[in-house]
Amino acid sequence: MRAGAGVLALLMATGCTAAAAEREQEAAAAPATAVGITPENGAQGLVPELPIMVTAAGGTLKSVTVEATGKRVEGMFSADRTRWRSARPMTPGTDYTVTAVAINRAGKTTETRSAFSTLKAAKSFDVQTILPNKDLTGLTVGIGMPIMITFDHDVTDRVSIEKNLQVQASKPVQGAWHWFDNRHVSFRPKEYWPAHTKVRLVARLAGVRGGDGMYGAKDYVRDFTIGRSQISHGDTGTHYMKVVRDGKVIRNMPISAGMGGAMKYYTTSGVHLAMDRELVTVMTSPGIGPGSPGYYQTTVYDTVRISDTGEYVHGAPWSVGDQGNSNVSHGCVNISPANAKWFRINTLIGDPIIISGSPRPLDPTNGWGHWQESWKQWLKWSRLRGASTEPL
């Protein structure tokens, strides 16, 4: 029995040794994973808008490390880890190094390196302004507030730019970017923002192509919050404006709107947005100089601007007797001093102020008349035709 057991043990040991040796031979014979890196090693003067890609044949990618002038470049693996792609395009005038570690089917690792550089930008573009912002609008805004970006140069590659403008929201919203011209692009939802939504704009513009030889200078992030829902409805026929907050009427104010006669003296009808709030505003007759018939210069208090053509909701003590029964203004919405103070204090920039009853429509390019366009019209000037916001 002992001799038999010893023979069995010897056979088992010999068998294990042989199996291990066979696995080692298989590992030695298995081809190394073929790793491909794009752009190729040593390339110079590359077009920046291309991504970096790494592929593995006959194995998988264990790790990919990309550095651009000392900074790590983010990227994503495919589900089977045979491909890796940078999360964004390359940037101009930058040296890149790529280190890829791959593992073949037998568990053997190989390391592949590559280095290349992009051409310098002939010129760059940058963001001139983003609204909302802390100084001009505050970072808690009304449900109608668009995101408005103004560039410092004309940009023509709208697709590349739009692809790199990401809107994140705490509540899902369908929206779209809209180009007014080559310097102005705005985002608005299909419907008003839900109240109390947190929003983040991520503008990944560094290295993004804006036109021939022109690339974005840097990235931007902007966080803001949508406040309570408040919509004001003014009717130039009934001469009243009601303020509806979260579905309930909280104030109904007598008004006096534009007197008409000449079209410029009508208050524009449509969906306005509160653009500014001021304690004091000096109003001057548009297109009429001192000494000419119809000229005026008036100091008014507690104003909320609703267009670029001089329309405000403001206090007007001189027309209190007309408020609620007739229209006597040059185009503004007159309310009593007490109502004006209340309205200024209780209005957020971006609150919708809807005026009806006038034959003069608000133009979509007059101030922030973004909501004057139907959703179908809005999408006509979007290169990507809209998408839902990303989760925040």
Side-chain angles (χ1 to χ4, degrees), residues 16-290:
C16 290
T17 303
E22 187 177 348
R23 286 195 297 270
E24 289 178 2
Q25 289 176 356
E26 288 178 355
T33 303
V35 176
I37 299 176
T38 305
E40 64 182 13
N41 185 38
Q44 297 181 348
L46 294 165
V47 177
E49 59 260 28
L50 298 174
I52 299 170
M53 294 184 288
V54 183
T55 60
T60 57
L61 294 168
K62 185 178 181 181
S63 65
V64 175
T65 304
V66 181
E67 290 192 351
T69 318
K71 294 182 179 180
R72 187 67 62 91
V73 175
E74 296 179 356
M76 299 157 287
F77 289 98
S78 62
D80 60 2
R81 293 188 75 88
T82 61
R83 299 182 304 280
W84 181 95
R85 179 187 175 98
S86 59
R88 57 189 303 170
M90 296 182 288
T91 56
T94 303
D95 296 325
Y96 288 87
T97 58
V98 181
T99 303
V101 177
I103 184 168
N104 69 1
R105 295 184 179 90
K108 184 179 179 180
T109 60
T110 56
E111 184 176 282
T112 306
R113 293 176 178 270
S114 182
F116 42 84
S117 62
T118 54
L119 59 79
K120 292 183 179 180
K123 54 184 177 179
S124 63
F125 71 92
D126 205 348
V127 169
Q128 192 172 69
T129 59
I130 298 176
L131 294 177
N133 66 34
K134 181 179 179 181
D135 296 328
L136 297 179
T137 63
L139 294 178
T140 298
V141 294
I143 60 173
M145 186 72 199
I147 302 173
M148 295 173 279
I149 300 177
T150 302
F151 298 108
D152 63 351
H153 288 83
D154 287 349
V155 294
T156 55
D157 194 341
R158 297 180 176 183
V159 173
S160 292
I161 292 173
E162 216 172 301
K163 281 182 178 179
N164 287 280
L165 298 176
Q166 184 185 60
V167 180
Q168 303 170 0
S170 61
K171 300 176 184 179
V173 171
Q174 183 181 359
W177 291 95
H178 176 106
W179 292 87
F180 288 95
D181 55 40
N182 284 340
R183 292 202 184 196
H184 299 88
V185 62
S186 294
F187 178 94
R188 57 154 261 215
K190 183 178 180 181
E191 308 292 342
Y192 295 137
W193 295 98
H196 310 297
T197 301
K198 295 184 182 300
V199 185
R200 172 175 293 164
L201 165 68
V202 180
R204 295 182 173 178
L205 297 175
V208 171
R209 185 179 185 274
D212 291 340
M214 181 172 66
Y215 298 90
K218 55 186 176 182
D219 298 340
Y220 291 85
V221 176
R222 177 64 45 80
D223 289 294
F224 62 95
T225 301
I226 305 301
R228 77 291 175 270
S229 171
Q230 181 168 300
I231 305 172
S232 299
H233 301 265
D235 189 324
T236 65
T238 64
H239 313 291
Y240 273 83
M241 182 169 71
K242 62 181 179 181
V243 181
V244 180
R245 179 177 295 175
D246 298 324
K248 297 181 180 179
V249 177
I250 61 171
R251 206 166 182 98
N252 194 19
M253 303 178 288
I255 66 170
S256 179
M259 68 180 76
M263 190 60 70
K264 66 179 180 180
Y265 293 136
Y266 282 103
T267 305
T268 55
S269 274
V271 183
H272 305 72
L273 296 179
M275 301 171 62
D276 196 6
R277 297 169 300 184
E278 298 178 347
L279 285 169
V280 182
T281 302
V282 178
M283 295 185 175
T284 305
S285 52
I288 303 175

Side-chain angles (χ1 to χ4, degrees), residues 357-381:
S358 165
R360 180 188 175 194
L362 175 68
D363 190 278
T365 61
N366 183 357
W368 301 347
H370 296 52
W371 296 94
Q372 284 297 93
E373 292 189 351
S374 67
W375 186 240
K376 184 177 180 180
Q377 290 172 321
W378 185 261
L379 291 180
K380 285 176 63 177
W381 299 98

